mmCIF file of all heavy atoms in Angstrom:
data_model
loop_
_atom_site.group_PDB
_atom_site.id
_atom_site.type_symbol
_atom_site.label_atom_id
_atom_site.label_comp_id
_atom_site.label_asym_id
_atom_site.label_seq_id
_atom_site.Cartn_x
_atom_site.Cartn_y
_atom_site.Cartn_z
ATOM 1 N N VAL A 1 155.239 113.715 26.384
ATOM 2 C CA VAL A 1 155.491 113.834 24.945
ATOM 3 C C VAL A 1 156.744 113.085 24.539
ATOM 4 O O VAL A 1 156.781 112.417 23.496
ATOM 5 C CB VAL A 1 155.612 115.322 24.547
ATOM 6 C CG1 VAL A 1 155.987 115.463 23.075
ATOM 7 C CG2 VAL A 1 154.308 116.051 24.821
ATOM 8 N N THR A 2 157.790 113.164 25.343
ATOM 9 C CA THR A 2 159.066 112.570 24.968
ATOM 10 C C THR A 2 159.033 111.043 24.931
ATOM 11 O O THR A 2 159.913 110.419 24.351
ATOM 12 C CB THR A 2 160.180 113.042 25.927
ATOM 13 O OG1 THR A 2 159.656 113.126 27.261
ATOM 14 C CG2 THR A 2 160.680 114.410 25.530
ATOM 15 N N GLU A 3 158.028 110.434 25.537
ATOM 16 C CA GLU A 3 157.874 108.982 25.454
ATOM 17 C C GLU A 3 156.544 108.584 24.823
ATOM 18 O O GLU A 3 156.211 107.397 24.763
ATOM 19 C CB GLU A 3 158.017 108.349 26.843
ATOM 20 C CG GLU A 3 159.415 108.497 27.424
ATOM 21 C CD GLU A 3 159.617 107.688 28.694
ATOM 22 O OE1 GLU A 3 158.782 106.791 28.962
ATOM 23 O OE2 GLU A 3 160.590 107.954 29.406
ATOM 24 N N ALA A 4 155.765 109.592 24.400
ATOM 25 C CA ALA A 4 154.497 109.357 23.695
ATOM 26 C C ALA A 4 153.559 108.437 24.466
ATOM 27 O O ALA A 4 153.059 107.436 23.950
ATOM 28 C CB ALA A 4 154.751 108.795 22.289
ATOM 29 N N LYS A 5 153.303 108.817 25.739
ATOM 30 C CA LYS A 5 152.392 107.994 26.528
ATOM 31 C C LYS A 5 151.764 108.831 27.647
ATOM 32 O O LYS A 5 152.344 109.833 28.091
ATOM 33 C CB LYS A 5 153.112 106.798 27.131
ATOM 34 C CG LYS A 5 154.186 107.141 28.139
ATOM 35 C CD LYS A 5 154.856 105.876 28.671
ATOM 36 C CE LYS A 5 155.889 106.186 29.749
ATOM 37 N NZ LYS A 5 156.560 104.960 30.236
ATOM 38 N N PRO A 6 150.586 108.433 28.093
ATOM 39 C CA PRO A 6 149.973 109.126 29.226
ATOM 40 C C PRO A 6 150.841 109.001 30.469
ATOM 41 O O PRO A 6 151.556 108.010 30.656
ATOM 42 C CB PRO A 6 148.641 108.397 29.415
ATOM 43 C CG PRO A 6 148.359 107.767 28.094
ATOM 44 C CD PRO A 6 149.698 107.387 27.549
ATOM 45 N N ARG A 7 150.754 110.017 31.310
ATOM 46 C CA ARG A 7 151.485 109.997 32.589
ATOM 47 C C ARG A 7 150.555 110.539 33.668
ATOM 48 O O ARG A 7 149.982 111.612 33.513
ATOM 49 C CB ARG A 7 152.737 110.858 32.499
ATOM 50 C CG ARG A 7 153.505 111.045 33.822
ATOM 51 C CD ARG A 7 154.090 109.715 34.302
ATOM 52 N NE ARG A 7 155.213 109.892 35.200
ATOM 53 C CZ ARG A 7 155.109 110.037 36.533
ATOM 54 N NH1 ARG A 7 153.897 110.063 37.096
ATOM 55 N NH2 ARG A 7 156.187 110.153 37.278
ATOM 56 N N VAL A 8 150.385 109.784 34.735
ATOM 57 C CA VAL A 8 149.536 110.205 35.848
ATOM 58 C C VAL A 8 150.422 110.435 37.067
ATOM 59 O O VAL A 8 151.105 109.516 37.526
ATOM 60 C CB VAL A 8 148.455 109.156 36.165
ATOM 61 C CG1 VAL A 8 147.572 109.645 37.313
ATOM 62 C CG2 VAL A 8 147.607 108.864 34.934
ATOM 63 N N PHE A 9 150.408 111.653 37.589
ATOM 64 C CA PHE A 9 151.148 111.960 38.804
ATOM 65 C C PHE A 9 150.304 111.538 40.003
ATOM 66 O O PHE A 9 149.116 111.845 40.080
ATOM 67 C CB PHE A 9 151.461 113.458 38.880
ATOM 68 C CG PHE A 9 152.393 113.922 37.783
ATOM 69 C CD1 PHE A 9 151.883 114.477 36.620
ATOM 70 C CD2 PHE A 9 153.765 113.788 37.916
ATOM 71 C CE1 PHE A 9 152.727 114.903 35.607
ATOM 72 C CE2 PHE A 9 154.627 114.203 36.905
ATOM 73 C CZ PHE A 9 154.109 114.757 35.747
ATOM 74 N N LYS A 10 150.957 110.828 40.957
ATOM 75 C CA LYS A 10 150.219 110.257 42.079
ATOM 76 C C LYS A 10 150.948 110.511 43.394
ATOM 77 O O LYS A 10 152.177 110.596 43.429
ATOM 78 C CB LYS A 10 150.062 108.738 41.895
ATOM 79 C CG LYS A 10 149.409 108.316 40.580
ATOM 80 C CD LYS A 10 149.433 106.804 40.411
ATOM 81 C CE LYS A 10 148.875 106.383 39.070
ATOM 82 N NZ LYS A 10 148.931 104.906 38.881
ATOM 83 N N LYS A 11 150.157 110.612 44.441
ATOM 84 C CA LYS A 11 150.729 110.555 45.783
ATOM 85 C C LYS A 11 151.236 109.140 45.995
ATOM 86 O O LYS A 11 150.526 108.165 45.747
ATOM 87 C CB LYS A 11 149.644 110.888 46.813
ATOM 88 C CG LYS A 11 150.034 110.631 48.257
ATOM 89 C CD LYS A 11 150.906 111.724 48.800
ATOM 90 C CE LYS A 11 151.117 111.549 50.311
ATOM 91 N NZ LYS A 11 151.951 110.379 50.651
ATOM 92 N N ASP A 12 152.494 108.997 46.426
ATOM 93 C CA ASP A 12 153.054 107.665 46.617
ATOM 94 C C ASP A 12 152.287 106.891 47.683
ATOM 95 O O ASP A 12 151.958 107.431 48.752
ATOM 96 C CB ASP A 12 154.519 107.764 47.052
ATOM 97 C CG ASP A 12 155.437 108.256 45.933
ATOM 98 O OD1 ASP A 12 154.948 108.421 44.802
ATOM 99 O OD2 ASP A 12 156.627 108.468 46.207
ATOM 100 N N TYR A 13 151.999 105.634 47.388
ATOM 101 C CA TYR A 13 151.389 104.726 48.361
ATOM 102 C C TYR A 13 151.595 103.311 47.863
ATOM 103 O O TYR A 13 151.853 103.079 46.674
ATOM 104 C CB TYR A 13 149.900 105.027 48.548
ATOM 105 C CG TYR A 13 149.006 104.620 47.387
ATOM 106 C CD1 TYR A 13 148.223 103.469 47.460
ATOM 107 C CD2 TYR A 13 148.940 105.386 46.227
ATOM 108 C CE1 TYR A 13 147.397 103.100 46.407
ATOM 109 C CE2 TYR A 13 148.118 105.027 45.174
ATOM 110 C CZ TYR A 13 147.347 103.878 45.264
ATOM 111 O OH TYR A 13 146.540 103.516 44.219
ATOM 112 N N GLY A 14 151.517 102.352 48.776
ATOM 113 C CA GLY A 14 151.739 100.968 48.366
ATOM 114 C C GLY A 14 153.112 100.812 47.741
ATOM 115 O O GLY A 14 154.128 101.169 48.344
ATOM 116 N N ASP A 15 153.146 100.302 46.508
ATOM 117 C CA ASP A 15 154.427 100.110 45.827
ATOM 118 C C ASP A 15 154.796 101.290 44.926
ATOM 119 O O ASP A 15 155.750 101.209 44.152
ATOM 120 C CB ASP A 15 154.404 98.815 45.015
ATOM 121 C CG ASP A 15 153.308 98.811 43.950
ATOM 122 O OD1 ASP A 15 152.481 99.755 43.934
ATOM 123 O OD2 ASP A 15 153.258 97.867 43.141
ATOM 124 N N LEU A 16 154.045 102.402 45.018
ATOM 125 C CA LEU A 16 154.358 103.586 44.223
ATOM 126 C C LEU A 16 155.376 104.446 44.954
ATOM 127 O O LEU A 16 155.199 104.763 46.136
ATOM 128 C CB LEU A 16 153.084 104.404 43.959
ATOM 129 C CG LEU A 16 151.978 103.715 43.157
ATOM 130 C CD1 LEU A 16 150.747 104.603 43.090
ATOM 131 C CD2 LEU A 16 152.458 103.366 41.767
ATOM 132 N N ASP A 17 156.431 104.844 44.263
ATOM 133 C CA ASP A 17 157.452 105.672 44.902
ATOM 134 C C ASP A 17 158.092 106.652 43.902
ATOM 135 O O ASP A 17 159.275 106.930 43.963
ATOM 136 C CB ASP A 17 158.527 104.801 45.553
ATOM 137 C CG ASP A 17 159.260 103.913 44.553
ATOM 138 O OD1 ASP A 17 158.886 103.924 43.354
ATOM 139 O OD2 ASP A 17 160.210 103.227 44.954
ATOM 140 N N CYS A 18 157.262 107.203 42.995
ATOM 141 C CA CYS A 18 157.798 108.018 41.904
ATOM 142 C C CYS A 18 157.676 109.525 42.107
ATOM 143 O O CYS A 18 158.523 110.285 41.639
ATOM 144 C CB CYS A 18 157.098 107.662 40.584
ATOM 145 S SG CYS A 18 157.340 105.970 40.050
ATOM 146 N N ASP A 19 156.616 109.969 42.774
ATOM 147 C CA ASP A 19 156.250 111.382 42.663
ATOM 148 C C ASP A 19 156.264 112.186 43.961
ATOM 149 O O ASP A 19 156.074 113.399 43.925
ATOM 150 C CB ASP A 19 154.849 111.502 42.042
ATOM 151 C CG ASP A 19 154.795 110.937 40.634
ATOM 152 O OD1 ASP A 19 155.813 111.021 39.935
ATOM 153 O OD2 ASP A 19 153.734 110.419 40.249
ATOM 154 N N ASP A 20 156.493 111.566 45.100
ATOM 155 C CA ASP A 20 156.389 112.296 46.361
ATOM 156 C C ASP A 20 157.363 113.468 46.466
ATOM 157 O O ASP A 20 157.102 114.443 47.171
ATOM 158 C CB ASP A 20 156.611 111.358 47.553
ATOM 159 C CG ASP A 20 155.304 110.823 48.110
ATOM 160 O OD1 ASP A 20 154.257 111.027 47.458
ATOM 161 O OD2 ASP A 20 155.316 110.204 49.190
ATOM 162 N N LYS A 21 158.479 113.407 45.761
ATOM 163 C CA LYS A 21 159.476 114.474 45.835
ATOM 164 C C LYS A 21 159.313 115.517 44.722
ATOM 165 O O LYS A 21 160.136 116.418 44.582
ATOM 166 C CB LYS A 21 160.881 113.885 45.793
ATOM 167 C CG LYS A 21 161.209 113.028 47.014
ATOM 168 C CD LYS A 21 162.622 112.492 46.967
ATOM 169 C CE LYS A 21 162.927 111.640 48.200
ATOM 170 N NZ LYS A 21 164.308 111.082 48.169
ATOM 171 N N THR A 22 158.226 115.401 43.971
ATOM 172 C CA THR A 22 157.939 116.348 42.894
ATOM 173 C C THR A 22 157.192 117.554 43.439
ATOM 174 O O THR A 22 156.290 117.405 44.269
ATOM 175 C CB THR A 22 157.089 115.687 41.793
ATOM 176 O OG1 THR A 22 157.733 114.493 41.360
ATOM 177 C CG2 THR A 22 156.919 116.622 40.605
ATOM 178 N N ARG A 23 157.537 118.732 42.978
ATOM 179 C CA ARG A 23 156.882 119.951 43.455
ATOM 180 C C ARG A 23 155.465 120.056 42.904
ATOM 181 O O ARG A 23 155.191 119.677 41.769
ATOM 182 C CB ARG A 23 157.675 121.185 43.034
ATOM 183 C CG ARG A 23 159.060 121.301 43.617
ATOM 184 C CD ARG A 23 159.630 122.685 43.396
ATOM 185 N NE ARG A 23 159.453 123.132 42.016
ATOM 186 C CZ ARG A 23 159.346 124.417 41.652
ATOM 187 N NH1 ARG A 23 159.385 125.363 42.559
ATOM 188 N NH2 ARG A 23 159.198 124.736 40.378
ATOM 189 N N TYR A 24 154.582 120.573 43.730
ATOM 190 C CA TYR A 24 153.216 120.847 43.288
ATOM 191 C C TYR A 24 153.216 121.730 42.045
ATOM 192 O O TYR A 24 152.432 121.516 41.107
ATOM 193 C CB TYR A 24 152.433 121.540 44.409
ATOM 194 C CG TYR A 24 151.644 120.607 45.280
ATOM 195 C CD1 TYR A 24 152.289 119.759 46.184
ATOM 196 C CD2 TYR A 24 150.259 120.561 45.219
ATOM 197 C CE1 TYR A 24 151.562 118.906 46.999
ATOM 198 C CE2 TYR A 24 149.526 119.716 46.030
ATOM 199 C CZ TYR A 24 150.180 118.881 46.919
ATOM 200 O OH TYR A 24 149.456 118.029 47.716
ATOM 201 N N VAL A 25 154.071 122.732 42.026
ATOM 202 C CA VAL A 25 154.124 123.661 40.890
ATOM 203 C C VAL A 25 154.433 122.911 39.597
ATOM 204 O O VAL A 25 153.807 123.161 38.558
ATOM 205 C CB VAL A 25 155.171 124.761 41.132
ATOM 206 C CG1 VAL A 25 155.398 125.584 39.862
ATOM 207 C CG2 VAL A 25 154.730 125.682 42.276
ATOM 208 N N ASP A 26 155.359 121.976 39.648
ATOM 209 C CA ASP A 26 155.744 121.246 38.441
ATOM 210 C C ASP A 26 154.621 120.345 37.939
ATOM 211 O O ASP A 26 154.379 120.244 36.729
ATOM 212 C CB ASP A 26 157.002 120.420 38.700
ATOM 213 C CG ASP A 26 158.246 121.278 38.849
ATOM 214 O OD1 ASP A 26 158.256 122.395 38.296
ATOM 215 O OD2 ASP A 26 159.203 120.837 39.507
ATOM 216 N N VAL A 27 153.926 119.679 38.859
ATOM 217 C CA VAL A 27 152.795 118.839 38.451
ATOM 218 C C VAL A 27 151.688 119.704 37.854
ATOM 219 O O VAL A 27 151.074 119.349 36.841
ATOM 220 C CB VAL A 27 152.263 118.023 39.648
ATOM 221 C CG1 VAL A 27 150.981 117.289 39.269
ATOM 222 C CG2 VAL A 27 153.312 117.032 40.122
ATOM 223 N N ALA A 28 151.443 120.858 38.466
ATOM 224 C CA ALA A 28 150.410 121.771 37.950
ATOM 225 C C ALA A 28 150.737 122.236 36.544
ATOM 226 O O ALA A 28 149.859 122.317 35.678
ATOM 227 C CB ALA A 28 150.268 122.966 38.896
ATOM 228 N N LEU A 29 151.997 122.542 36.288
ATOM 229 C CA LEU A 29 152.408 122.966 34.943
ATOM 230 C C LEU A 29 152.271 121.821 33.944
ATOM 231 O O LEU A 29 151.834 122.028 32.812
ATOM 232 C CB LEU A 29 153.848 123.467 34.964
ATOM 233 C CG LEU A 29 154.093 124.810 35.654
ATOM 234 C CD1 LEU A 29 155.587 125.064 35.816
ATOM 235 C CD2 LEU A 29 153.450 125.948 34.866
ATOM 236 N N ALA A 30 152.626 120.619 34.368
ATOM 237 C CA ALA A 30 152.584 119.470 33.460
ATOM 238 C C ALA A 30 151.165 119.107 33.054
ATOM 239 O O ALA A 30 150.916 118.720 31.905
ATOM 240 C CB ALA A 30 153.257 118.261 34.112
ATOM 241 N N THR A 31 150.223 119.220 33.968
ATOM 242 C CA THR A 31 148.846 118.831 33.637
ATOM 243 C C THR A 31 148.107 119.912 32.863
ATOM 244 O O THR A 31 147.075 119.632 32.250
ATOM 245 C CB THR A 31 148.053 118.480 34.911
ATOM 246 O OG1 THR A 31 146.814 117.861 34.542
ATOM 247 C CG2 THR A 31 147.755 119.698 35.773
ATOM 248 N N SER A 32 148.610 121.161 32.872
ATOM 249 C CA SER A 32 147.861 122.277 32.271
ATOM 250 C C SER A 32 148.528 122.911 31.056
ATOM 251 O O SER A 32 148.081 123.955 30.588
ATOM 252 C CB SER A 32 147.623 123.364 33.335
ATOM 253 O OG SER A 32 148.846 123.853 33.843
ATOM 254 N N ALA A 33 149.565 122.263 30.519
ATOM 255 C CA ALA A 33 150.279 122.818 29.365
ATOM 256 C C ALA A 33 149.517 122.500 28.076
ATOM 257 O O ALA A 33 149.912 121.645 27.277
ATOM 258 C CB ALA A 33 151.702 122.260 29.309
ATOM 259 N N ALA A 34 148.412 123.204 27.869
ATOM 260 C CA ALA A 34 147.538 122.938 26.717
ATOM 261 C C ALA A 34 148.250 123.238 25.399
ATOM 262 O O ALA A 34 148.765 124.345 25.219
ATOM 263 C CB ALA A 34 146.275 123.785 26.826
#
């Protein structure tokens, strides 16, 4: 919401290095905050 754009949480691989240190609980809350 704060940047007005879709966000996809991913398991890091290849050149992705953003989300591996994120808690499962936090990702679950972010995807389900209807």
